[in-house]
Amino acid sequence: MDAPAQTLVENLFRTQKSELFNDESEEIDFCASYNVQDNEIFSINPFDDEMGLINAIERPDAVPVWDPDDISVHYFKALFTGEPASNGNPAEVLIQCFDRRQIINNEKSFFKMATQPGNRFSVSTRPGFSLSDRLTAILIGDKLVFKSFFMLRRFFNMEEYFNEATKEDLDNFIAKEIFHVESNEGFMTFADSAIKKKVSLIMSSGILNDQPIQNLIECAQKIGYQLGITNVDGADKITMPNSKKEVKQLLYFLDQGYFNSIITNELMLTNSKRPIRI
């Protein structure tokens, strides 16, 4: 990278860093059911830098030079730069998610050739790409800060921190004694990405183990949610609905996604929440 390009990259990433994370940012411990607001940012500390990004910033000479003949730009997942540790401050890695739309299509791109006479244009055979207009994450020592978990998963393995329910997880979920399920196959058919995420959140919360069914029935009555109950051999069980929409409504209830408006007493749905300690 020549000097003008190096200066452009440094200035661009420095500006994007201040836009993503600054003195006014409020760090929030990562919570999969919460959507951060404009002045908030997720934090995972400690974060396992299994890809060795900090090491690449500290020892750049040990990183092989990119050869487009060996690794196509089409395999790029992210771009990063940073600063090594200094004066007691930890190393920082500034990370941009890479999108294929950033690849410059040489087959349809024409460049004016400075070495050619007149206004002559030529097709370039060299690979090229553009930079994103925002950072995805910043790794500061052992701490990772970010806005979007979805974007982060495009280049980091985040299974340790949150993952959608697997088929085995779904089987275990509907096999719980608290449920009455008429059709396991029907539930599996409904299980899209949103349902898998909700099941994962409910299972990790432990609410089905901590709350007796009578408590759940009373909570549903208080907020006006119609919780289906089936009595099986004298025991009340939650009826698993037979429609995708109603399954999602039940999962929202179990994930504590419903509440009564204080002003209107109307049943409301929240799309973002996290525990708060006062």
Side-chain angles (χ1 to χ4, degrees):
M1 187 177 294
D2 61 20
Q6 182 67 34
T7 300
L8 185 149
V9 169
E10 290 177 357
N11 291 338
L12 181 65
F13 273 78
R14 190 176 294 115
T15 299
Q16 292 180 1
K17 172 188 172 183
S18 64
E19 292 173 349
L20 179 67
F21 188 50
N22 52 60
D23 292 339
E24 297 181 358
S25 300
E26 180 184 355
E27 291 186 41
I28 305 293
D29 289 340
F30 173 64
C31 179
S33 60
Y34 184 69
N35 296 324
V36 291
Q37 305 303 308
D38 290 342
N39 66 327
E40 297 174 335
I41 191 165
F42 280 135
S43 171
I44 295 178
N45 190 7
F47 177 76
D48 183 12
D49 177 25
E50 61 181 20
M51 296 176 67
L53 300 186
I54 293 288
N55 186 64
I57 294 298
E58 296 279 15
R59 303 171 183 82
D61 292 340
V63 180
V65 176
W66 172 52
D67 185 345
D69 292 330
D70 293 336
I71 302 176
S72 168
V73 67
H74 289 270
Y75 288 101
F76 283 13
K77 297 295 183 182
L79 302 173
F80 70 93
T81 186
E83 297 181 4
S86 64
N87 300 323
N89 297 316
E92 288 188 356
V93 184
L94 313 180
I95 311 167
Q96 287 186 354
C97 186
F98 188 82
D99 191 295
R100 287 194 174 188
R101 290 172 294 184
Q102 295 171 233
I103 299 173
I104 298 175
N105 185 352
N106 290 333
E107 296 178 356
K108 300 179 181 179
S109 299
F110 297 87
F111 301 88
K112 187 176 180 180
M113 306 300 293
T115 59
Q116 297 293 329
N119 293 322
R120 185 173 296 179
F121 287 78
S122 177
V123 175
S124 174
T125 58
R126 294 173 295 179
F129 56 87
S130 61
L131 298 177
S132 175
D133 59 359
R134 69 189 66 185
L135 289 186
T136 304
I138 305 174
L139 182 59
I140 309 170
D142 293 332
K143 179 175 70 175
L144 184 72
V145 294
F146 59 97
K147 286 276 192 179
S148 171
F149 184 77
F150 170 77
M151 297 296 291
L152 209 60
R153 293 177 66 186
R154 294 176 64 174
F155 52 85
F156 278 149
N157 179 4
M158 301 300 292
E159 291 185 1
E160 177 183 349
Y161 307 100
F162 178 75
N163 197 25
E164 292 181 355
T166 63
K167 184 180 184 302
E168 182 180 358
D169 293 331
L170 296 175
D171 285 333
N172 292 335
F173 180 72
I174 58 178
K176 286 187 170 295
E177 285 294 322
I178 200 170
F179 292 123
H180 171 68
V181 183
E182 292 183 357
S183 173
N184 290 13
E185 293 77 12
F187 179 84
M188 292 298 182
T189 302
F190 300 146
D192 59 12
S193 179
I195 286 178
K196 291 176 182 177
K197 288 178 181 178
K198 279 296 178 188
V199 169
S200 181
L201 289 169
I202 293 167
M203 295 284 277
S204 62
S205 73
I207 192 169
L208 297 181
N209 300 324
D210 299 337
Q211 299 296 324
I213 189 169
Q214 192 57 41
N215 284 10
L216 297 175
I217 293 173
E218 292 174 1
C219 289
Q221 291 172 344
K222 286 179 181 178
I223 65 173
Y225 171 69
Q226 300 297 316
L227 182 64
I229 298 296
T230 300
N231 189 278
V232 179
D233 298 329
D236 287 336
K237 296 179 180 290
I238 296 175
T239 306
M240 186 63 67
N242 291 320
S243 76
K244 187 173 187 177
K245 178 181 178 180
E246 291 177 334
V247 166
K248 288 187 175 182
Q249 290 174 345
L250 172 61
L251 296 180
Y252 265 106
F253 168 72
L254 295 175
D255 189 38
Q256 306 176 74
Y258 289 123
F259 67 98
N260 277 117
S261 169
I262 296 176
I263 297 176
T264 65
N265 200 37
E266 185 179 3
L267 183 62
M268 308 291 285
L269 172 67
T270 176
N271 68 350
S272 177
K273 66 184 190 311
R274 65 184 173 94
I276 186 170
R277 296 174 179 83
I278 300 177

